[in-house]
Amino acid sequence: MPFAASLPPLRILVIDDVPEDRVEIRRQLAPPGIGASWEIVDVGNAAAARAKIREAMPDCILMDHDLAETNGITLLREIIAEHGKDACGFVMLTASDSAVVAVDILKAGAHDFLHKGRTTSMQLRKAVRDAYEKASNRREVRRSRAELERKNLELAEAVEQMEGASEQRHQVEEALRKSERQFRSLADNISQLAWMTDETGAIYWYNRRWFEYTGTTLEDMRGWGWRKVHHPDHEARVVEKLSRCFAEGLHWEDTFPLRRHDGAYRWFLSRAVPIHDANAKVLGWFGTNTDITSQLETEDALKSARDKAVSASRAKDEFLAALSHELRTPLNPVLLTSSARAADSSLPDAVREDFDAIRKNVALEARLIDDLLDLTRITRGKLSLNSDVLDLGDLLCDALRIVKSDTEHKRLVWRVTRESTPVRVMGDAVRLRQVFWNVLKNAAKFTAQEGRIDVTVELRSEDNRVVVTVTDSGIGMTQAEIGRVFDAFSQGDHASSSVHRFGGLGLGLAITRSLVEMHHGEIVAHSAGLGKGTTFVVTLPLLAKDSDQTPTTPPPKVVVTPAARAASSVIGAGYRVLLVEDHAPTRTTMARLLRQRGFDVTGAGSWAEALAAASASQIDGLLTDIGLPDGDGCLLLRELRRRWPLLEGIALSGYGMEDDIKRSRQNGFVQHVTKPLEIDQLDAALAALVANLSPAKSSDA
């Protein structure tokens, strides 16, 4: 049956802050010749939506997830809080593919969600129809329940009247006849199926609804004849429970399917209460059956949707972790070798420059993988901050040094204006440095040769905040680009599928916004248009003025100079280490570098090979991959410590999630090094390993 003929004209409220999107939604909802009688009203903000809803509740609300002034989920919860969970149908449109977002939308109370821009007219209209029907069915179920309770109360009053005894027989009989007339009239007109039994439990009366539903007669159903319309899979259980309640004079309640006159089965919530006389003797039972099929189907559909969303989210997380490992592992020997050769002063400058170029590009690939993992941590709420008192000026200078060194070939003019006194904030030094590095890198990336970038740091006394402004003379942005600049995987109009001029995955600024918000700050972007540059403004709360805390000096970066590198050949003198790595190129490269640093190295490619090597000779240190083909690196450390209690280890892994690092530390590793790593990172980890081994070796001596 066509949809337009199956439902009366629907009143639909469309909430979307993009006018073009509202026009497109209208077109899809009412294509020519179909649904022309639908009344469609569209608004561009939450305030207008609330006003329209207060005027008249629509049949269905179709809203965008990403509204300018408020989140669509927040607005949905407000509407439900004010008007009720199923006041109308709720359908959410979202541009996100995130399963987490989908679960949040359904948890907030939406009846359905669709992918914005990838939904056909038929899909959109079906979603509106289904949402309307779900809301209507749920309201009807609640109304039926309320009516049943009200009728039950009325019936209880009628029964109470029936139970009252009169000293005069004529008065008793008249009262009973009156009560019976009232009861039968009432019971015959309720929406539930209703019936009455005698004291033995045999049914002698059904209301009109029962016969209309089952297509039977009183002669068919009298006594225990009702068993003919019960589903055979449930009949024995229902009869056993009902008989026990009748025998003990108890209230009865159960859920089971009943056969309709056309042979179809529908589910009913059934109840029966005993009717007593003045002496509390059971005279019989009064029962009802309420159709709950639609409610159960809706609940099953919602549960199935939730289960699928959770399963998809879990699969995505596992895939990203595995992808990270597989992408990082082959980069590891390349980055280790190139970074070591780039710092080797014995090589010609041209050769070192070539190795440095390789190092930079491999490090860039690793950064892209880190961005993907950071985004996963943020969307799952797994990213944690290690907050401390920091000097914002020092963090900004660190980020400036990194970006300026990477863009020297563009001969950019940098102008920095900052406060002369320390600017103290509470935050995570690594993550805030990442924020400013991303913003500065973005400015340098889109600024042409010999362009200008201005960086200013200002204190805002009225609300005790610091404002960092980065303005470039680059390519600028349109208002459309400004609107999506902080969206994950978003690229400006300058980047198309055929010409990816500036590179990148479009994750840096999305991660930056999340990190700033986790620090209780905000970041915004402005541009006067294409070719007119762009300004990014980062605002963060200052440390309380009355705080006596002093900034914590960030841990110094490990810088291995040529002289120090020459001396590194004796860093591991006297220590025997077991290197367990199933990726042969990485194992070969790391073994060579370890031997150059004075370690006595034994290599193994699996758990079994590692145990065999450890049983052959004493070992002081363990460097192992966490994910081995035949075991787990964390468990390997614990196993080897049974033989060598003073054994210390470094965890090597392509898995860089917070949970992975936490797990390796809990299992006793001195360091967790995420692949791919540069030579400086390896030296720092080895230094930490030796520092932990030396006291133990001294005590052994």
Side-chain angles (χ1 to χ4, degrees):
M1 180 183 293
F3 178 62
S6 64
L7 284 177
L10 297 182
R11 292 175 292 109
I12 304 169
L13 176 61
V14 179
I15 308 172
D16 197 309
D17 56 1
V18 180
E20 293 82 359
D21 289 353
R22 297 201 299 272
V23 171
E24 175 61 17
I25 292 172
R26 273 180 170 273
R27 185 191 68 76
Q28 288 188 308
L29 285 174
I34 300 177
S37 60
W38 284 15
E39 178 184 339
I40 304 172
V41 177
D42 62 80
V43 295
N45 55 64
R50 297 186 190 100
K52 287 293 183 182
I53 293 171
R54 292 192 182 102
E55 289 177 8
M57 177 61 66
D59 295 316
C60 184
I61 295 177
L62 188 63
M63 69 172 68
D64 188 13
H65 175 264
D66 297 312
L67 298 173
E69 61 178 290
T70 185
N71 182 278
I73 291 179
T74 301
L75 178 58
L76 173 60
R77 288 172 174 157
E78 291 178 5
I79 295 172
I80 289 175
E82 182 173 353
H83 300 281
K85 185 174 183 180
D86 296 299
C88 69
F90 296 108
V91 179
M92 189 80 72
L93 295 174
T94 175
S96 173
D97 288 329
S98 170
V100 175
V101 173
V103 172
D104 289 343
I105 289 173
L106 294 176
K107 284 183 176 179
H111 299 99
D112 203 351
F113 71 94
L114 298 172
H115 291 288
K116 192 171 185 181
R118 290 186 284 165
T119 300
T120 66
S121 176
M122 182 178 296
Q123 290 172 333
L124 185 62
R125 291 170 57 78
K126 184 178 184 302
V128 169
R129 177 197 63 193
D130 291 346
Y132 164 75
E133 290 180 344
K134 287 177 183 178
S136 299
N137 289 339
R138 290 176 182 176
R139 291 197 303 272
E140 178 60 24
V141 168
R142 284 197 293 271
R143 188 198 65 77
S144 297
R145 284 184 172 179
E147 180 184 358
L148 176 61
E149 294 297 332
R150 183 177 63 82
K151 297 299 184 182
N152 281 344
L153 289 175
E154 293 177 357
L155 290 172
E157 293 175 359
V159 169
E160 185 176 352
Q161 293 178 11
M162 294 172 61
E163 292 179 344
S166 172
E167 293 183 6
Q168 298 295 328
R169 182 172 181 177
H170 176 73
Q171 293 177 343
V172 171
E173 291 177 351
E174 182 60 28
L176 288 175
R177 284 193 294 270
K178 181 180 179 180
S179 296
E180 183 178 357
R181 287 194 301 270
Q182 291 175 342
F183 166 75
R184 289 180 181 273
S185 175
L186 184 65
D188 244 357
N189 289 282
I190 62 175
S191 59
Q192 285 76 28
L193 315 184
W195 40 270
M196 292 183 67
T197 79
D198 59 20
E199 66 277 7
T200 68
I203 299 179
Y204 63 85
W205 172 87
Y206 295 91
N207 71 345
R208 188 177 68 251
R209 300 287 185 190
W210 174 275
F211 297 121
E212 290 174 351
Y213 177 82
T214 62
T216 60
T217 66
L218 180 59
E219 291 304 316
D220 296 329
M221 296 289 102
R222 193 183 299 276
W224 291 75
W226 50 266
R227 298 173 64 172
K228 299 175 184 177
V229 297
H230 267 253
H231 195 289
D233 292 347
H234 299 267
E235 181 184 351
R237 173 184 61 81
V238 173
V239 170
E240 186 278 330
K241 182 177 180 180
L242 184 64
S243 299
R244 175 165 42 83
C245 290
F246 283 175
E248 298 177 9
L250 303 175
H251 286 66
W252 169 76
E253 180 176 312
D254 207 341
T255 303
F256 47 79
L258 291 174
R259 189 178 69 239
R260 198 166 55 189
H261 57 82
D262 59 359
Y265 282 91
R266 294 185 66 82
W267 282 86
F268 285 83
L269 171 64
S270 302
R271 293 181 174 133
V273 295
I275 303 171
H276 301 90
D277 64 10
N279 298 316
K281 178 184 177 182
V282 175
L283 301 175
W285 274 264
F286 175 78
T288 60
N289 309 91
T290 304
D291 191 332
I292 58 171
T293 305
S294 296
Q295 178 185 352
L296 294 178
E297 290 174 348
T298 299
E299 292 174 353
D300 288 343
L302 289 174
K303 181 180 182 300
S304 176
R306 284 194 298 268
D307 291 344
K308 289 180 180 178
V310 170
S311 177
S313 177
R314 186 182 301 111
K316 181 200 70 173
D317 293 340
E318 293 172 354
F319 168 76
L320 283 177
L323 178 65
S324 166
H325 180 270
E326 295 305 314
L327 291 175
R328 288 174 181 274
T329 297
L331 295 179
N332 198 48
V334 182
L335 188 57
L336 272 173
T337 301
S338 59
S339 60
R341 292 291 186 264
D344 189 346
S345 59
S346 66
L347 295 176
D349 289 344
V351 175
R352 294 176 63 193
E353 289 175 3
D354 289 342
F355 276 116
D356 194 49
I358 296 172
R359 178 195 64 80
K360 287 181 179 179
N361 282 277
V362 175
L364 176 60
E365 292 297 323
R367 179 70 257 173
L368 295 177
I369 297 171
D370 287 340
D371 283 348
L372 282 171
L373 292 178
D374 278 348
L375 188 65
T376 300
R377 292 186 186 102
I378 290 169
T379 55
R380 293 181 61 199
K382 297 288 187 178
L383 186 67
S384 58
L385 299 179
N386 297 317
S387 295
D388 210 335
V389 183
L390 308 170
D391 186 335
L392 189 69
D394 290 344
L395 294 176
L396 186 58
C397 286
D398 287 345
L400 274 167
R401 280 193 294 271
I402 298 171
V403 175
K404 288 171 71 174
S405 64
D406 289 343
T407 59
E408 288 177 350
H409 64 284
K410 299 183 76 170
R411 299 189 300 279
L412 300 176
V413 177
W414 295 83
R415 187 169 62 186
V416 181
T417 305
R418 53 176 292 190
E419 297 291 324
S420 58
T421 57
V423 178
R424 294 192 293 169
V425 297
M426 179 65 73
D428 187 312
V430 174
R431 293 305 182 181
L432 284 181
R433 189 180 290 109
Q434 182 180 355
V435 164
F436 293 119
W437 180 79
N438 276 335
V439 173
L440 293 169
K441 181 190 69 171
N442 188 78
K445 180 179 180 180
F446 295 108
T447 302
Q449 294 277 347
E450 300 181 356
R452 190 185 76 252
I453 299 177
D454 293 328
V455 182
T456 62
V457 180
E458 297 179 304
L459 300 180
R460 200 164 68 192
S461 58
E462 59 268 23
D463 57 357
N464 199 37
R465 299 175 85 80
V466 59
V467 180
V468 180
T469 305
V470 179
T471 302
D472 63 63
S473 60
I475 64 175
M477 286 188 284
T478 64
Q479 287 305 305
E481 290 174 315
I482 289 289
R484 61 177 184 268
V485 68
F486 295 109
D487 293 343
F489 304 105
S490 174
Q491 296 278 342
D493 297 334
H494 54 268
S496 67
S497 58
S498 59
V499 183
H500 204 67
R501 177 181 168 193
F502 294 96
L505 296 178
L507 294 179
L509 290 178
I511 294 170
T512 295
R513 179 175 63 175
S514 296
L515 292 177
V516 170
E517 291 174 350
M518 289 177 69
H519 284 83
H520 308 291
E522 63 177 355
I523 179 171
V524 295
H526 307 285
S527 179
L530 294 178
K532 297 181 180 180
T534 304
T535 297
F536 284 88
V537 182
V538 179
T539 306
L540 294 169
L542 288 166
L543 198 64
K545 294 181 180 179
D546 56 353
S547 174
D548 59 357
Q549 294 176 296
T550 56
T552 300
T553 303
K557 298 178 181 178
V558 177
V559 178
V560 182
T561 63
R565 193 175 300 283
S568 66
S569 61
V570 296
I571 190 174
Y575 293 110
R576 293 172 292 277
V577 296
L578 175 61
L579 173 62
V580 188
E581 170 60 64
D582 62 306
H583 186 243
T586 296
R587 186 170 68 250
T588 301
T589 300
M590 291 195 66
R592 172 173 50 80
L593 294 172
L594 288 170
R595 291 188 181 103
Q596 289 175 359
R597 282 150 179 75
F599 290 95
D600 182 359
V601 183
T602 300
S606 65
W607 171 291
E609 291 179 11
L611 292 180
S615 63
S617 62
Q618 177 182 344
I619 58 173
D620 302 309
L622 172 69
L623 284 79
T624 181
D625 192 356
I626 296 298
L628 297 173
D630 57 346
D632 179 89
C634 290
L635 299 181
L636 177 61
L637 177 63
R638 292 165 58 181
E639 178 68 24
L640 293 179
R641 277 185 170 168
R642 294 181 180 178
R643 180 164 187 175
W644 313 111
L646 300 179
L647 181 68
E648 297 290 353
I650 296 174
L652 306 170
S653 177
Y655 300 102
M657 304 293 275
E658 302 286 350
D659 291 344
D660 303 319
I661 298 173
K662 181 179 179 181
R663 179 169 171 264
S664 66
R665 288 175 179 167
Q666 289 175 340
N667 280 275
F669 283 99
V670 174
Q671 293 279 303
H672 179 108
V673 183
T674 304
K675 304 173 186 176
L677 64 154
E678 298 195 35
I679 194 64
D680 293 349
Q681 294 172 284
L682 177 60
D683 283 339
L686 292 174
L689 177 68
V690 170
N692 281 270
L693 288 174
S694 296
K697 192 155 190 175
S698 299
S699 63
D700 288 345

